[in-house]
Amino acid sequence: MSGLRVLVGCKRVIDYAVKIRVKPDNTGVITEGVKHSMNPFDEIAVEEAVRMKEKKLASEIIAVSCGPTQCQETLRTAMAMGADKSIHVEVDAASYENLQPLHVAKILAKVAQDVKADIVFTGKQAIDDDCNQTGQMVAALLDWPQATFASKIEKANGDLTVTREIDGGLETIKVQLPAVLTADLRLNEPRYATLPNIMKAKKKKMEKKKPEDYGVDIGPRQSILKVEDPPVRQAGSKLDSVETLVSKLKDAGLVPS
Amino acid sequence: MYLSRYFRFCVQQSSHFLRRESCVQQKYSTAAVQPKVDSSFVGALKSVVGDTNVSTADAIREQHGHDESHHAVSMPDVVVFAESVDHVSKVSMLCNDNKVPLIPFGSGTGLEGGVNALQGGVCLDLSKIDQIVKVNADDFDCVVQPGVMRQALNSYLRDTGLWFPIDPGADASVCGMCATSASGTNAVKYGTMRENVLNLQVVLPDGRVIDTAGRGRRTKKTSAGYNLTNLFLGSEGTLGTITEATIRLYGIPEKTISAVCHFEEVSDAVNTVVSILQCGIPMAKLEFLDDTAIAAFNRFSKYDMTEAQTLFLEFHGPAYGLDDQFQSVKELVEMNNGFGLKQASDTDERNRLWKARHEMVWACTALIQGSKPYSTDVCVPITNLPEIVTKTKEMVKEANVLGPIVGHVGDGNFHIFFPVDHSDKETFKKVYDISHRMALLAMDLNGTCTGEHGIGMGKRDLLIAEVGEETLGAMKQIKATFDPNNIMNPGKVFF
């Protein structure tokens, strides 16, 4: 059980606190000059991996991110939190617009095999696309067991006991290794990187790779037709009687006349 | 000259009040401006900020007419949302020309009725001006606008390894914290707002926009001209509207240790605090909770602590050396009959402990259904702390009211969060009496009636006693200079 190698997927997304604005041409959202940071659920995964290392369950943490050059900042944060080294799989900005979970899952599966990971750990979903697919697809591609929406992870002899957050409450399962885990909100509260750790992270190794190195074709499988704002909320009006309410509902065709 | 006549008028009024006896807190400002905020004035406001940024709706006015204190709501006549410094400037000019009261509004989390519109007027909500203008990570400073809340700032900074440590508990707006000269649990190590603001942009009542240290200046020290930055810090919206603050940042501590320990006697707990500080141990947090407070704490936050006089401690520092600090404190605790000293086992437990500490205001009001928090805020030199805490506890016991004591004893500052229900007039009178006597006792012990919450509405008479006629006169002179029409938050700080 000692010496697990954990591969943690970290996606660079628009920071959760930013007010998202749609581009005037409706082709997407404005990302230029907007604050980005690590997907919060991936932060939770990194934090859990670091805690596993502190408890001597894990011996090495490798952070990986797919995307343009700025993803390297995200990897530096992961290393400042405690990841030992990182891999940046470079995808140019244009192709990145159409990079989908299936592409990323194929890359992560190949990286996992390449580095001989025992655990592939990601956040349950990214806060920009809310897809909630990558972890599950990696498990399918590798034919590994998966424990998604993890809110508690404990070691149990040679396996892991994972408590999952599901619609009905909590489900506890036993998972054999190697496995894919995805982190849910209540798994932990991630640490903030301290200045000394940020400086140490600059010296940690970051490998630069491309999707072709892993034999993955990232050609687009879909195209975005339109992105638009939800309709602006209209002010309501106060009515003075039930009769007026009923007649307005009838006028709006919401109630049979 | 109009101004000097006005000043004489103010001084006369203040000495008139000193001769009065009755419950002076009910009196509003004498240099009163009682305008009519009529539809043409509202129309003028709309043409500055736009129709959607002006509201006379009851719900919005009610929300802007109170903070988290026990003071009853005083609604403004109209709420205006500014979206730029230009808006703030033009609205100020409009109010000044028409002698309409103007009250800046940040987060509404104050504890002294600072935003209550005692004379109606305009409440200027600044939450839409909410950019973090610049983070100068390598210089350890940043520039924020009034709509930036403290927690949002720290979340934004999290990747830089820096944080803004002043922590008053509530998620307050940073500029609001400047207006009240806030502090909090970390003041013992990081200081209060007074020590951590490098520059302020302020819109004066006549609409002029000034940068107190000069535009863009952000040096650790300066000797250039008068210290206007610290003049506006703590002015509680009575001198101008803060529209930007340049604040100091600190490195997130490499290692943190939190611990709790208990004492039978209040004096033992407080003496331990004095010893720790005199040994020069750089505590990050040094908090006292008495047994009543612990009972409230246990109930509200579902804990199981020993109901005794308790100290919550936190150490921040580099990875090495922190354990030695802890050992030194351990010895002092034991020397003063302390028991049950226990470190929080991990980050989650530490966060839970401090979250529960921060929720003490609510834990205390939860003790009496329907109550609001009446908080005291005295601060004395450290060596006078044992005397005032012991005497306070006796006063509370004698009056037979619920008075949980919670405080930043590391700064000589502590609070009682009395849960009061205004309909219970007898208890309210007892609570008022105790807090008044505490403040006067603090003043006898070289202290202040308010360490961090501000004067607001409830301590105007205490301010007069605390600083004396001459100093009060000097303060009113400044007020008259900047705000001759007394439009800025009238009725706060002074009568």
Side-chain angles (χ1 to χ4, degrees):
Chain A
M1 185 72 174
S2 63
L4 290 178
R5 185 171 290 129
V6 184
L7 180 70
V8 187
C10 306
K11 187 179 183 188
R12 178 177 180 266
V13 298
I14 296 178
D15 188 82
Y16 77 90
V18 168
K19 276 186 206 113
I20 308 288
R21 289 197 332 252
V22 175
K23 282 192 202 157
D25 62 4
N26 292 107
T27 54
V29 300
I30 297 175
T31 54
E32 274 291 313
V34 166
K35 181 165 202 258
H36 284 65
S37 48
M38 194 191 302
N39 180 37
F41 295 109
D42 296 341
E43 274 181 355
I44 294 174
V46 173
E47 172 65 24
E48 195 64 19
V50 174
R51 290 189 190 190
M52 285 167 77
K53 190 166 171 213
E54 284 166 354
K55 283 188 255 192
K56 312 258 195 277
L57 265 80
S59 62
E60 197 187 20
I61 304 168
I62 306 173
V64 57
S65 191
C66 306
T69 324
Q70 297 95 317
C71 291
Q72 294 181 10
E73 288 158 20
T74 310
L75 290 170
R76 295 259 169 246
T77 304
M79 292 191 289
M81 285 171 72
D84 298 293
K85 56 192 206 201
S86 57
I87 301 172
H88 173 214
V89 182
E90 176 123 34
V91 174
D92 67 272
S95 312
Y96 189 60
E97 304 254 307
N98 285 306
L99 198 69
Q100 285 290 297
L102 184 53
H103 299 125
V104 176
K106 288 180 178 174
I107 295 172
L108 289 185
K110 284 279 167 32
V111 175
Q113 285 168 329
D114 208 39
V115 304
K116 299 194 183 37
D118 300 298
I119 295 176
V120 173
F121 208 157
T122 67
K124 67 173 179 179
Q125 66 200 54
I127 61 169
D128 51 6
D129 58 22
D130 277 343
C131 281
N132 192 335
Q133 298 169 11
T134 309
Q136 292 87 334
M137 287 179 174
V138 172
L141 289 167
L142 290 171
D143 197 22
W144 284 8
Q146 57 183 272
T148 54
F149 311 104
S151 66
K152 198 155 172 206
I153 300 172
E154 288 159 313
K155 95 175 194 182
N157 303 315
D159 304 325
L160 294 176
T161 304
V162 180
T163 306
R164 309 175 58 226
E165 297 208 8
I166 60 172
D167 288 345
L170 297 172
E171 177 192 62
T172 309
I173 58 173
K174 187 150 60 168
V175 173
Q176 285 178 334
L177 294 168
V180 173
L181 306 173
T182 74
D184 207 325
L185 187 66
R186 276 159 283 270
L187 179 58
N188 61 49
E189 205 182 308
R191 67 196 63 196
Y192 287 0
T194 63
L195 284 171
N197 287 342
I198 290 174
M199 279 192 264
K200 281 185 214 156
K202 291 192 184 141
K203 305 232 174 73
K204 291 185 180 176
K205 188 155 162 256
M206 186 188 298
E207 261 184 83
K208 314 280 198 315
K209 295 277 203 190
K210 290 197 157 58
E212 304 90 84
D213 298 341
Y214 297 106
V216 175
D217 169 19
I218 58 162
R221 302 167 74 89
Q222 64 187 48
S223 65
I224 295 172
L225 299 177
K226 191 166 59 157
V227 176
E228 49 186 16
D229 276 306
V232 177
R233 191 161 170 222
Q234 299 297 328
S237 53
K238 280 188 183 167
L239 307 172
D240 50 16
S241 72
V242 176
E243 287 76 18
T244 325
L245 172 64
V246 173
S247 96
K248 285 211 176 227
L249 288 172
K250 283 184 178 165
D251 289 342
L254 296 165
V255 152
S257 304
Chain B
M1 236 246 89
Y2 171 71
L3 275 175
S4 61
R5 244 188 288 141
Y6 184 88
F7 165 56
R8 275 201 293 272
F9 173 69
C10 283
V11 172
Q12 273 164 16
Q13 289 304 317
S14 75
S15 12
H16 179 56
F17 271 112
L18 285 169
R19 284 195 284 273
R20 283 202 197 189
E21 271 184 335
S22 53
C23 204
V24 282
Q25 76 200 49
Q26 300 302 321
K27 295 298 165 194
Y28 301 150
S29 175
T30 52
V33 286
Q34 264 303 9
K36 240 187 134 263
V37 174
D38 57 18
S39 56
S40 79
F41 185 78
V42 174
L45 289 169
K46 284 184 174 173
S47 58
V48 171
V49 296
D51 285 0
T52 50
N53 278 329
V54 176
S55 176
T56 49
D58 281 352
I60 309 271
R61 288 165 57 210
E62 195 274 350
Q63 182 198 24
H64 287 80
H66 70 90
D67 58 13
E68 317 237 284
S69 68
H70 65 92
H71 295 290
V73 176
S74 292
M75 304 209 297
D77 293 294
V78 56
V79 177
V80 175
F81 293 84
E83 291 192 32
S84 66
V85 180
D86 190 52
H87 282 178
V88 177
S89 172
K90 296 201 160 86
V91 170
S92 298
M93 275 193 271
L94 206 54
C95 289
N96 197 31
D97 291 343
N98 290 280
K99 301 199 182 12
V100 172
L102 177 64
I103 304 174
F105 186 98
S107 55
T109 49
L111 290 171
E112 291 293 337
V115 297
N116 291 32
L118 298 178
Q119 295 180 32
V122 174
C123 176
L124 186 57
D125 186 315
L126 301 160
S127 57
K128 288 189 176 183
I129 309 178
D130 64 355
Q131 293 308 299
I132 295 170
V133 176
K134 190 103 203 301
V135 174
N136 300 301
D138 293 338
D139 283 324
F140 286 58
D141 70 62
C142 70
V143 183
V144 299
Q145 293 182 336
V148 175
M149 303 296 145
R150 175 183 71 80
Q151 287 175 5
L153 174 61
N154 279 330
S155 172
Y156 186 96
L157 292 171
R158 67 193 189 280
D159 293 335
T160 58
L162 300 173
W163 71 318
F164 180 61
I166 318 290
D167 181 2
D171 188 17
S173 75
V174 174
C175 292
M177 289 166 64
C178 293
T180 53
S181 190
S183 88
T185 48
N186 290 320
V188 64
K189 188 179 178 80
Y190 300 99
T192 69
M193 291 306 280
R194 274 195 188 185
E195 292 83 46
N196 288 294
V197 179
L198 303 174
N199 200 347
L200 288 175
Q201 184 185 70
V202 181
V203 176
L204 297 177
D206 60 11
R208 276 182 294 157
V209 181
I210 64 167
D211 291 278
T212 54
R215 189 87 193 123
R217 310 261 167 256
R218 47 187 185 85
T219 52
K220 289 292 171 287
K221 53 190 201 181
T222 175
S223 291
Y226 296 166
N227 189 351
L228 291 183
T229 308
N230 278 51
L231 175 64
F232 286 95
L233 268 175
S235 59
E236 302 187 52
T238 59
L239 293 178
T241 306
I242 297 172
T243 50
E244 196 181 89
T246 306
I247 55 180
R248 269 192 210 227
L249 300 175
Y250 294 78
I252 292 171
E254 214 185 323
K255 186 167 173 185
T256 306
I257 297 179
S258 293
V260 174
C261 61
H262 307 284
F263 302 80
E264 290 296 337
E265 301 298 325
V266 170
S267 52
D268 284 335
V270 183
N271 285 332
T272 310
V273 170
V274 177
S275 313
I276 292 175
L277 294 166
Q278 284 174 343
C279 284
I281 299 171
M283 301 300 302
K285 288 183 179 138
L286 195 42
E287 297 285 304
F288 173 72
L289 283 83
D290 76 347
D291 46 0
T292 318
I294 293 289
F297 177 94
N298 281 343
R299 220 173 101 173
F300 190 79
S301 300
K302 317 240 185 306
Y303 264 91
D304 195 12
M305 289 213 185
T306 316
E307 275 176 39
Q309 324 308 335
T310 307
L311 288 181
F312 282 19
L313 312 148
E314 191 161 280
F315 305 80
H316 290 175
Y320 56 88
L322 222 55
D323 289 316
D324 289 338
Q325 284 180 24
F326 181 77
Q327 284 311 311
S328 308
V329 169
K330 181 160 184 273
E331 283 164 25
L332 292 169
V333 167
E334 280 160 13
M335 248 165 51
N336 284 286
N337 311 312
F339 60 91
L341 176 63
K342 206 174 77 123
Q343 279 192 23
S345 55
D346 60 22
T347 317
D348 289 338
E349 210 198 296
R350 182 170 13 107
N351 289 338
R352 195 178 155 227
L353 186 75
W354 291 107
K355 180 168 187 281
R357 160 64 188 89
H358 280 313
E359 289 175 351
M360 277 313 289
V361 184
W362 311 121
C364 296
T365 50
L367 292 170
I368 295 181
Q369 252 220 0
S371 66
K372 295 262 186 78
Y374 188 118
S375 62
T376 68
D377 182 29
V378 299
C379 184
V380 296
I382 305 295
T383 46
N384 290 333
L385 194 62
E387 187 180 335
I388 191 166
V389 177
T390 318
K391 288 205 167 124
T392 298
K393 206 149 158 65
E394 282 163 20
M395 279 191 243
V396 171
K397 192 154 168 223
E398 218 183 286
N400 199 19
V401 290
L402 269 174
I405 300 180
V406 175
H408 321 293
V409 287
D411 309 313
N413 177 212
F414 67 98
H415 308 297
I416 305 187
F417 291 129
F418 291 105
V420 291
D421 181 350
H422 277 252
S423 58
D424 180 357
K425 297 212 185 292
E426 205 196 306
T427 309
F428 188 85
K429 174 133 202 336
K430 283 191 198 171
V431 163
Y432 174 80
D433 276 341
I434 298 176
S435 64
H436 206 79
R437 279 159 61 203
M438 271 175 72
L440 295 174
L441 178 59
M443 289 189 229
D444 281 340
L445 296 170
N446 307 106
T448 169
C449 64
T450 174
E452 54 186 16
H453 295 169
I455 295 291
M457 305 165 40
K459 297 191 169 134
R460 290 172 288 180
D461 53 338
L462 291 169
L463 179 66
I464 303 171
E466 182 167 321
V467 302
E469 254 191 70
E470 295 295 338
T471 307
L472 193 78
M475 290 185 185
K476 288 192 162 187
Q477 217 171 340
I478 293 171
K479 166 75 170 172
T481 304
F482 282 105
D483 185 20
N485 293 326
N486 191 20
I487 62 161
M488 296 305 304
N489 210 0
K492 310 296 165 58
V493 185
F494 317 111
F495 288 103

